[in-house]
Amino acid sequence: MKKTAILILAAGEASRMGRIKQNLPYLETTLLGHAITQAKQAKAQHVYCVLGAQEEAIKAEIKQEVSFIINETWEEGLGSSIACGIKALRLKKYDHILIMLGDQPLMTASYLNQLINRAIQHPDTCVASGYKNKKGVPAIFPESYFDALEALSGDQGAKVLLNSNLSVIALNAEDLLQDIDTPEDYEHLLKK
């Protein structure tokens, strides 16, 4: 059986939101709490969450059992959070790591399982979320990509790998990939 971990990225300070985005109320929990719930309902063995800015305030709102990884260099951007998470998980010998964002509330456990199932069928290939002719996260990476992920830095996320000339399978996630970055995004989400 392949071992899979889910790595939720939630280390940023959400400057465009003007308040702690991860703690915004959503359904019965918070934005980040909802992402953790969906990840824990998927069929990965473990769920981890990368925190940085406001880590104590965010941890205080999380009611689910989840393992936290703290990115001390979160200000450097998304790439540093991915690298920090991969570095922490390498010792645990996972075959695949599924990277997702803590601010995509339309993402479901069912969709995450589609990514995991496809990765089981194609164990040496990245499986990404496709939208507007691009590929992005959530995406699941086999162990052979861990070096490249750990080498990411600054604000350069996994998209640079997923949209290179590497072989990547893309699942259509157009309807699920709504990021919540601004107060307007959040208001729009609450009206759905």
Side-chain angles (χ1 to χ4, degrees):
M1 176 67 186
K2 295 277 185 195
K3 256 178 84 176
T4 302
I6 295 180
L7 187 64
I8 303 171
L9 305 178
E13 68 178 330
S15 54
R16 286 182 284 171
M17 184 61 73
R19 54 187 172 148
I20 303 175
K21 171 168 63 173
Q22 296 89 328
N23 289 354
L24 290 173
Y26 183 63
L27 300 178
E28 304 294 312
T29 179
T30 61
L31 271 184
L32 180 56
H34 181 70
I36 292 169
T37 297
Q38 296 308 304
K40 288 183 74 78
Q41 288 173 357
K43 58 185 185 182
Q45 281 70 34
H46 298 103
V47 176
Y48 299 86
C49 185
V50 180
L51 295 181
Q54 305 285 342
E55 77 172 90
E56 293 305 326
I58 294 166
K59 277 184 184 174
E61 294 295 320
I62 298 301
K63 308 298 181 243
Q64 303 95 323
E65 196 65 39
V66 66
S67 299
F68 292 105
I69 297 167
I70 306 306
N71 178 11
E72 303 292 348
T73 59
W74 62 267
E75 289 164 315
E76 291 177 16
L78 199 57
S80 76
S81 286
I82 293 172
C84 171
I86 297 295
K87 186 174 186 179
L89 297 187
R90 286 194 94 148
L91 304 172
K92 300 184 186 301
K93 300 285 182 226
Y94 290 104
D95 300 294
H96 290 99
I97 295 177
L98 191 161
I99 296 174
M100 65 183 283
L101 303 177
D103 67 351
Q104 291 181 329
L106 304 183
M107 203 44 64
T108 64
S110 165
Y111 178 74
L112 298 175
N113 281 338
Q114 287 178 41
L115 291 171
I116 293 168
N117 289 339
R118 193 62 69 92
I120 291 168
Q121 294 165 354
H122 303 275
D124 301 319
T125 306
C126 288
V127 183
S129 299
Y131 59 101
K132 296 186 179 118
N133 299 323
K134 289 206 181 325
K135 299 181 226 40
V137 296
I140 187 164
F141 296 87
E143 189 180 13
S144 56
Y145 284 79
F146 293 0
D147 283 344
L149 290 167
E150 201 177 322
L152 291 173
S153 62
D155 214 19
Q156 194 153 57
K159 273 186 191 160
V160 68
L161 293 174
L162 296 172
N163 291 287
S164 66
N165 56 4
L166 300 170
S167 164
V168 177
I169 296 168
L171 301 187
N172 182 356
E174 196 86 43
D175 300 337
L176 303 174
L177 294 177
Q178 180 189 352
D179 290 10
I180 306 300
D181 292 323
T182 64
E184 294 74 29
D185 293 342
Y186 180 55
E187 291 304 318
H188 183 69
L189 171 70
L190 296 181
K191 289 181 183 144
K192 286 194 172 205

